[in-house]
Amino acid sequence: MSLFLIIDILGTIAFAISGSLTAMKKRLDIFGIFIIAFVTAVGGGTLRDILIDADITWMRDLTFVYVIVGATILAIAFRRKLNYVRKSLFLFDTIGIALYTVVGVEKGIEADFPALICIALGTMSACFGGVIRDILCNEIPIIFRKEIYATACILGGVTYFLLLETTLSQDVVIILAGTIVISVRLLAVTFKLSLPSLYKNEKES
Amino acid sequence: MSLFLIIDILGTIAFAISGSLTAMKKRLDIFGIFIIAFVTAVGGGTLRDILIDADITWMRDLTFVYVIVGATILAIAFRRKLNYVRKSLFLFDTIGIALYTVVGVEKGIEADFPALICIALGTMSACFGGVIRDILCNEIPIIFRKEIYATACILGGVTYFLLLETTLSQDVVIILAGTIVISVRLLAVTFKLSLPSLYKNEKES
Amino acid sequence: MSLFLIIDILGTIAFAISGSLTAMKKRLDIFGIFIIAFVTAVGGGTLRDILIDADITWMRDLTFVYVIVGATILAIAFRRKLNYVRKSLFLFDTIGIALYTVVGVEKGIEADFPALICIALGTMSACFGGVIRDILCNEIPIIFRKEIYATACILGGVTYFLLLETTLSQDVVIILAGTIVISVRLLAVTFKLSLPSLYKNEKES
């Protein structure tokens, strides 16, 4: 099993659990929890694949379906204990979005889209599962209000294209771009950085 | 006119009327009512066709467009009388989801997807029109909170695949799988069965 | 630069600014504002292209991406001054939807869809960016409650098909159909016309 597959699976687990938690907070039933876990984990990549008219991976290769179902069952069973693994989940989630970003960028390059669109596709792969989750749960997507992921993904995508111009091998480019995503996000969370607010006078609710 | 086409039309009528009623409850204008009726009736199948990259039937064959427009006009005209036909509507709706499930499963098989994905496609065909309806009406999809359809569709899809292994002809398989969907749903409604709740201490709102 | 391209750019500017304003009213952060501006401007056309399985223009030709980014930056910078250009924006928006409608109808004809579906595709191109904007902002789409655009677009589409039967050249047909969209909308706004309400006794909120 390659390192990338392991990272992808860990990221999928983190996304599925995050979806399950949101669904349980909204008191959805078991069917609803599975659907929300599912769209959180694969929704971003699916939207990307629809836009670039590519085959949707999870429909042909069931690995991720099984991972999501397993993670969701665990999230439901241990819903009162998930607090203890919060830090691991955050870490999985962070390396997951780094990988999703790079994969999205590369899918865009393969299909010959301009760099700007590839960066958008990478960001979408990492972030839009959460957007669909929030829409299905009748919330304004959290990422539009308190930006947590997107800047990290965009900077990772930009890094990818800057390094492509160098003589570095593709593997090194992937690892460095992913490292940027992870570092920016860890720094943002550690130092509570966020995009400057346009609405100075009042605190956002 | 084949039996399947008749069932399909009756199901579409029931879905369009259900969409119209939701839209009128939300006090949408006539344009909004038509759109909601439309997505309720064809949204699940359309999403399925986008995911499997198939042609979208209603865009080439207008039969269902006319049926939906007619059903919506009737729903608007007789909006205060629809209570009297509630039972017929429920019946049409139930046989409609049975047919939609089987059609969805078969479209998945035709496009050579794994059994699990085919069952998901069948369930999506039957249930996701209502999900899109609820999102457009700014509600958490009812099917995620009080599961009414999905289990019936999933069991129908599983039955389809189990029977495929037997020597039964495809027509018989279709009819038996559809019967399972209808029976499970009728039983669930009659005996008020639903998925076990995860939230024991409080009643769901 | 052709007249159509200029109109298209002006319409895109108006749509992006309208999206930015909605996003700022919802107090979204900068990332959220860009996304909402973007989907408002290109969401309708994107949905149309997904349904008809066509290439999505803005993913290959970045002109509109730059226009949207520029318009959104201006909308953010001058957010307190936008009132002064409200009339110009309304005009751009109106000629924008006229053009989007005609483009949508023509894309449908090219892909050989029936007239009714082409008219729907034209209306969708002009109106569904706003629908997606409202869903992402957790509102029932305004167009389903107070119909502002859709009737104008539908009448423009019908005009297009009626005139196709005549000996008029395509350019004239385009201009006349667009003029119908613009006129109907200007008349509707001037005389506060809207679709008849089904809910007579109470005012809509």
Side-chain angles (χ1 to χ4, degrees), chain B residues 41-78:
Chain B
V42 303
T46 303
L47 186 60
R48 175 200 65 215
D49 290 340
I50 291 174
L51 287 178
I52 68 176
D53 208 11
D55 274 357
I56 296 167
T57 325
W58 59 264
M59 295 183 69
R60 296 284 178 194
D61 170 1
L62 294 182
T63 315
F64 290 94
V65 176
Y66 296 138
V67 168
I68 293 166
V69 169
T72 306
I73 291 173
L74 289 176
I76 293 173
F78 296 104

Side-chain angles (χ1 to χ4, degrees), chain C residues 138-173:
Chain C
N138 203 18
E139 299 280 349
I140 295 182
I142 177 84
I143 202 173
F144 297 165
R145 287 177 295 160
K146 280 170 190 267
E147 200 277 314
I148 14 175
Y149 286 178
T151 308
C153 300
I154 293 168
L155 292 176
V158 170
T159 305
Y160 190 100
F161 276 95
L162 292 177
L163 295 180
L164 266 194
E165 306 293 308
T166 66
T167 56
L168 294 169
S169 78
Q170 212 200 3
D171 277 5
V172 177
V173 171

Side-chain angles (χ1 to χ4, degrees), chain A residues 144 195-199, chain C residues 28-35 72 76:
Chain A
F144 296 167
L195 288 178
S197 174
L198 295 173
Y199 320 99
Chain C
L28 302 190
D29 68 13
I30 289 175
F31 178 74
I33 297 170
F34 273 96
I35 298 289
T72 306
I76 293 173

Side-chain angles (χ1 to χ4, degrees), chain B residues 178-194:
Chain B
T179 307
I180 290 288
V181 177
I182 295 172
S183 315
V184 172
R185 188 164 182 227
L186 291 181
L187 286 171
V189 170
T190 310
F191 297 106
K192 303 204 172 160
L193 301 176
S194 69

